[in-house]
Amino acid sequence: MDLIKVAENAFIREINYPEFSAGDTITISYQIKEGDKMRVQDYRGVVIQRKGTGSGATFTVRKVSGGVGVERIFPVFSPNIDSITVNKKGKVRRARIYYLRDLKGKKARIKEKRS
Amino acid sequence: MAGLIGKKIGMTSVFSAEGKNIPCTVLEAGPCVVTQVKTIESDGYKAVQLAYDEKKEKSANNPEKGHFSKAKTSPKRKLVEFEFENSLQLGESVTSEIFAEGEVVAVYGTSKGKGFQGVVKRHGFSGVGGQTHGQHNRLRAPGSVGASSYPSRVFKGMRMAGRTGGDQVKVSGLKIIKIIGEQNLIVVKGSVPGANGSYVIIKK
């Protein structure tokens, strides 16, 4: 296992995103290639889970768009992520808040953590 | 062909400069020691025998000890012959430096054993087409294995069920993405046959 980490570390690039975890509302600026042009698109939603370690780590962001739930999985070390901003810190009791998928409207709100 | 003996460490994925996620395999390549140099005069053909992976002195038998002491090295587990273009000396160490980043290599490994398998998994038969029209228990059956009165036998080499996997498999066209000289690691794009920790032969 250790030698795999050595190989992974040889590729990992520096990232300086703010810390976030499940329950937080974040905005991701994601680079999209259209033909030969690059465009930055914002995606805002609630982090449902953080998964994996090392270079293969990912996080899932859920948002409700036009009444339809949308979940997108982003690799943490993806070079296409321009920036991440944390909009709200959520107060949740578990690391993977899948129960959010079954909730709608007012029930799907998450209490904000006040520091 | 020049090459090295190594070990499959495992798979991971890395991002390329274009932002694409590339599946790749980490291999430990060498360091190998030259334990015998075969020449046309003495052996009838030209080859270099490389040895890899440390072995305990007490688990080596006397003929092995003698063979390795000729090259002034400790006993090793795996011996493979290669054809190197440049001449190598007995006892010389060969490392991953013989490869370059961006180079395309072929990797030989022993595929994972699958046990006794049917013809669908073993030979890629498609099985019986549908589940309806009276079918009930022959979905993965091989079908006919030959004609009747002539030849009155089953031809040799007829593909049937049996032990699967555990064979030597060659995968060519693997591009070296990175070489980490300190730990003798090379990272190739794509997958390599065999289980993690199994021996592989990497050839140019």
Side-chain angles (χ1 to χ4, degrees):
Chain A
M1 256 341 261
D2 283 332
L3 287 175
I4 284 220
K5 283 204 179 114
V6 169
E8 279 178 356
N9 288 338
F11 287 97
I12 274 182
R13 68 198 179 90
E14 285 283 307
I15 52 163
N16 45 354
Y17 305 140
E19 229 173 77
F20 61 89
S21 58
D24 297 353
T25 305
I26 62 171
T27 307
I28 301 132
S29 304
Y30 199 74
Q31 289 175 350
I32 294 172
K33 204 177 169 189
E34 278 177 346
D36 48 353
K37 259 195 270 174
M38 295 295 271
R39 193 164 64 81
V40 175
Q41 194 183 57
D42 283 355
Y43 184 91
R44 184 183 162 139
V46 181
V47 179
I48 281 196
Q49 65 169 338
R50 296 202 64 161
K51 197 175 179 181
T53 54
S55 65
T58 60
F59 59 91
T60 308
V61 182
R62 179 184 169 88
K63 76 168 177 182
V64 178
S65 171
V68 182
V70 179
E71 280 179 24
R72 232 174 127 173
I73 301 166
F74 294 94
V76 173
F77 290 98
S78 169
N80 289 332
I81 294 178
D82 212 37
S83 66
I84 295 176
T85 46
V86 178
N87 306 108
K88 244 196 279 179
K89 281 269 177 199
K91 191 176 169 187
V92 287
R93 289 186 166 188
R94 47 209 83 229
R96 294 183 179 184
I97 47 171
Y98 296 145
Y99 64 83
L100 210 64
R101 290 171 179 164
D102 305 325
L103 303 179
K104 266 191 272 178
K106 276 191 170 180
K107 283 208 163 144
R109 286 175 302 179
I110 292 174
K111 262 191 191 168
E112 202 174 339
K113 206 191 267 175
R114 306 246 176 233
S115 53
Chain B
M1 275 190 290
L4 276 182
I5 316 167
K7 234 181 220 178
K8 177 173 169 179
I9 301 296
M11 288 194 76
T12 181
S13 66
V14 299
F15 283 100
S16 70
E18 300 90 55
K20 284 204 169 137
N21 203 349
I22 302 169
C24 51
T25 311
V26 183
L27 305 171
E28 192 182 64
C32 299
V33 181
V34 178
T35 47
Q36 195 180 359
V37 180
K38 296 195 172 178
T39 56
I40 293 166
E41 295 86 64
S42 60
D43 304 280
Y45 66 103
K46 222 181 126 194
V48 171
Q49 189 189 65
L50 297 184
Y52 168 74
D53 211 9
E54 232 32 66
K55 187 175 178 177
K56 271 185 195 161
E57 188 80 35
K58 69 172 183 186
S59 53
N61 59 26
N62 277 330
E64 277 173 358
K65 278 181 195 164
H67 184 69
F68 288 110
S69 66
K70 267 185 204 164
K72 295 189 176 62
T73 175
S74 55
K76 303 276 193 289
R77 281 180 194 277
K78 184 90 178 160
L79 299 170
V80 179
E81 278 182 12
F82 293 92
E83 290 170 29
F84 276 86
E85 278 165 18
N86 49 343
S87 60
L88 295 169
Q89 298 298 315
L90 198 65
E92 200 175 324
S93 172
V94 187
T95 61
S96 54
E97 280 168 14
I98 64 164
F99 299 115
E101 275 175 28
E103 203 173 21
V104 174
V105 291
V107 175
Y108 299 72
T110 308
S111 63
K112 282 185 182 173
K114 305 276 189 294
F116 193 99
Q117 295 295 333
V119 289
V120 173
K121 193 182 188 82
R122 192 171 186 221
H123 298 298
F125 284 21
S126 54
V128 174
Q131 296 201 6
T132 56
H133 296 298
Q135 289 296 339
H136 73 110
N137 60 359
R138 299 191 43 81
L139 286 176
R140 297 172 72 90
S144 169
V145 291
S148 176
S149 61
Y150 180 79
S152 281
R153 64 188 174 92
V154 175
F155 286 124
K156 269 192 177 173
M158 184 64 63
R159 293 175 296 167
M160 291 189 182
R163 282 274 187 103
T164 309
D167 306 317
Q168 177 168 297
V169 179
K170 174 192 178 187
V171 175
S172 48
L174 298 172
K175 194 176 172 190
I176 296 180
I177 299 175
K178 202 168 190 73
I179 297 174
I180 304 162
E182 258 174 70
Q183 277 90 4
N184 299 302
L185 297 179
I186 66 173
V187 183
V188 294
K189 180 184 173 183
S191 57
V192 162
N196 290 349
S198 62
Y199 290 118
V200 291
I201 297 165
I202 308 150
K203 278 187 181 175
K204 268 195 203 181

